[in-house]
Amino acid sequence: MTHEFEPLTNDLILRTARGEDVERAPIWIMRQAGRYLPEYHEAKGNRDFFECCRDPEVASTLTLQPIERFAGLLDASIIFSDILVVPQALGMAVEMVDKKGPHFPDPLRSPDDGQYARVLGRDAAAAADELDYVYRAITLTRRKLRGRVPLIGFCGAPWTLFCYMVEGGGTKFFIESKKWVYRHPDATKALLQKIAEVCVEYLARQVRAGAQLIQVFDSWAGELSPSTFKHFSEPYLAYISKNLPERLRELGLDPVPMIVFPKGANYALDSICDLGYDVVGLDWLIEPAKAVEIRGVRRVVFQGNADPGVLYGSRDAISETVKEMVQGFGGGKKGWIANLGHGITPQVNPEDLRFYLQEIQRLTAK
Ligand code: 1CP
């Protein structure tokens, strides 16, 4: 089941991710399809969020919106979906509450919870089967893209998905997650391993459907400590980077560039550079030059990392931030994919994002 698609007319991000010298830095923006775009609200209408994810026609339309609005300024698309489709595929109920975010009516409260055994007993391939609608959305989006830019597939990192599954939604104090880590470390690791196995199968099938790069979002890595990150996140991120290429080979597919975004884990950046990913996403809490220094001679490519909040600022503030970022990453001819340090936030004026993208292109093409 491999597909024929039109050849790429812009493969800048693929060449950059492979470590090649390039004419300028490629750019994409985390959450580039989403709430700050009026056309997103228009297309979504009154539909439930996950209903949009499950409808390939709607998901592909939403994926293409920023590519069309910012034609010539974005060098990659990312499939419209959510990291929480994986807990759903593991049999957990997840709702998206308008203006509040995700809600699990029945989170995993302890290893004695009957649901814990059910989730652990779930076969990874059977879970990946549940996400057929994502693969169909990816294939349809590749067709609609007609080779304009590559399409990124993604999943949540085991640690971040674990947090949602035990907290039941967004959280400030990570009380339940920390109870699991510090009271039930072995049960926590067993669950992280199960999630990692599902992630490998899920990502492999996204590639088979047409995804040309993949990103693993560890949005809550910053809630761990150097020691707990080493035991509760890194091994599972490494499991994915090691096993995905093997799984792709088994399926007769070539490897694709892999991006990891361990938000808030700059304390572990040195070892993250050795996790087996081609690209490491950086948040805005680290200076680019400092990250470049930690990377040293390693081939890893960085992605990021301006404060998303600068898009609420003046044009001068945006220009200054871009200038510092471009300089810090060495000018943009190698080893850097421009992005923000986290997803773009609601209420940003899309024209301010356009200016940000233009400034990066202008300064890195020099
Ligand atoms: O363009 C894109 O990037 C769209 C695809 C996308 C991605 C990659 C969405 C759509 N969500 C995600 C990933 C995602 N989802 C992450 C990892 C990235 C990050 O850290 O931002 C996380 C943590 C989630 C979970 C999630 N989904 C939240 C965060 C809640 C919290 O705990 O703070 C929220 C608000 C959502 C809903 C969501 N997902 C995506 C969109 C467009 C929305 C908003 C839905 C709406 O209100 O219309």
Side-chain angles (χ1 to χ4, degrees):
M1 204 188 15
T2 39
H3 307 274
E4 287 283 327
F5 299 110
E6 284 184 45
L8 279 173
T9 47
N10 174 352
D11 65 350
L12 187 58
I13 192 170
L14 295 175
R15 287 184 281 124
T16 306
R18 288 195 293 256
E20 296 175 20
D21 292 329
V22 284
E23 52 281 21
R24 64 167 174 84
I27 315 171
W28 70 282
I29 299 294
M30 288 186 275
R31 301 272 187 120
Q32 63 192 22
R35 287 172 288 184
Y36 74 105
L37 286 179
E39 57 268 37
Y40 166 78
H41 296 283
E42 212 167 288
K44 183 171 174 278
N46 296 323
R47 284 192 198 86
D48 168 69
F49 172 78
F50 286 114
E51 204 184 302
C52 294
C53 299
R54 287 193 193 106
D55 183 330
E57 194 58 61
V58 176
S60 60
T61 297
L62 296 173
T63 304
L64 282 165
Q65 284 179 340
I67 302 305
E68 279 162 2
R69 179 188 271 259
F70 302 114
L73 290 168
L74 287 172
D75 300 298
S77 54
I78 178 163
I79 190 65
F80 188 86
S81 182
D82 198 84
I83 61 169
L84 299 175
V85 299
V86 163
Q88 287 176 333
L90 281 165
M92 298 188 74
V94 188
E95 303 154 0
M96 195 60 75
V97 184
D98 237 7
K99 303 202 164 58
K100 274 192 70 189
H103 172 68
F104 291 60
D106 188 15
L108 294 176
R109 280 300 183 223
S110 84
D112 306 323
D113 185 340
Q115 206 186 180
Y116 174 78
R118 274 201 304 283
V119 169
L120 268 198
R122 187 99 178 162
D123 174 61
D129 285 346
E130 300 282 326
L131 298 168
D132 192 55
Y133 61 87
V134 179
Y135 319 133
R136 286 190 289 119
I138 286 175
T139 304
L140 181 59
T141 303
R142 274 292 300 275
R143 292 222 175 85
K144 289 191 187 174
L145 276 167
R146 300 188 323 271
R148 276 173 281 180
V149 290
L151 177 60
I152 304 173
F154 71 91
C155 70
W159 164 250
T160 290
L161 292 177
F162 168 85
C163 290
Y164 281 106
M165 289 162 74
V166 304
E167 300 287 348
T171 173
K172 196 159 172 196
F173 297 113
F174 291 81
I175 295 170
E176 303 302 328
S177 313
K178 294 300 169 84
K179 280 189 197 162
W180 277 82
V181 162
Y182 292 112
R183 285 172 187 263
H184 313 294
D186 293 339
T188 299
K189 289 175 183 173
L191 185 51
L192 289 165
Q193 177 62 28
K194 174 58 64 181
I195 301 169
E197 288 166 15
V198 176
C199 288
V200 168
E201 190 59 31
Y202 176 45
L203 291 172
R205 294 188 196 193
Q206 290 187 55
V207 173
R208 183 170 63 180
Q212 291 151 296
L213 303 86
I214 63 88
Q215 174 155 323
V216 180
F217 285 91
D218 206 356
S219 304
W220 299 132
E223 301 300 325
L224 290 162
S225 65
S227 162
T228 52
F229 182 70
K230 202 174 285 161
H231 293 104
F232 294 91
S233 180
E234 275 197 327
Y236 308 97
L237 292 174
Y239 179 90
I240 294 171
S241 65
K242 176 167 186 295
N243 286 275
L244 177 60
E246 286 175 15
R247 184 69 186 120
L248 289 174
R249 206 170 307 126
E250 279 172 15
L251 293 172
L253 299 167
D254 291 330
V256 298
M258 299 183 291
I259 310 168
V260 65
F261 175 55
K263 182 174 179 291
N266 295 320
Y267 56 79
L269 185 57
D270 185 33
S271 77
I272 289 165
C273 287
D274 289 328
L275 274 180
Y277 287 82
D278 306 280
V279 182
V280 171
L282 302 172
D283 63 29
W284 66 98
L285 300 182
I286 188 160
E287 283 182 60
K290 178 77 189 162
V292 168
E293 184 193 320
I294 292 171
R295 172 172 67 186
V297 299
R298 289 174 286 193
R299 252 182 67 115
V300 173
V301 170
F302 284 141
Q303 175 175 283
N305 81 334
D307 173 4
V310 75
L311 298 181
Y312 298 125
S314 65
R315 294 284 164 106
D316 283 350
I318 294 173
S319 288
E320 191 51 37
T321 301
V322 169
K323 203 169 107 202
E324 275 178 27
M325 176 172 69
V326 171
Q327 273 170 3
F329 285 114
K333 304 285 188 199
K334 187 188 173 74
W336 175 48
I337 296 167
N339 204 308
L340 292 167
H342 197 191
I344 186 168
T345 42
Q347 290 174 44
V348 164
N349 180 341
E351 290 308 302
D352 290 329
L353 175 63
R354 181 187 304 281
F355 182 70
Y356 178 75
L357 304 174
Q358 285 169 337
E359 283 294 90
I360 296 171
Q361 266 203 9
R362 185 173 71 80
L363 287 168
T364 65
K366 273 190 187 166

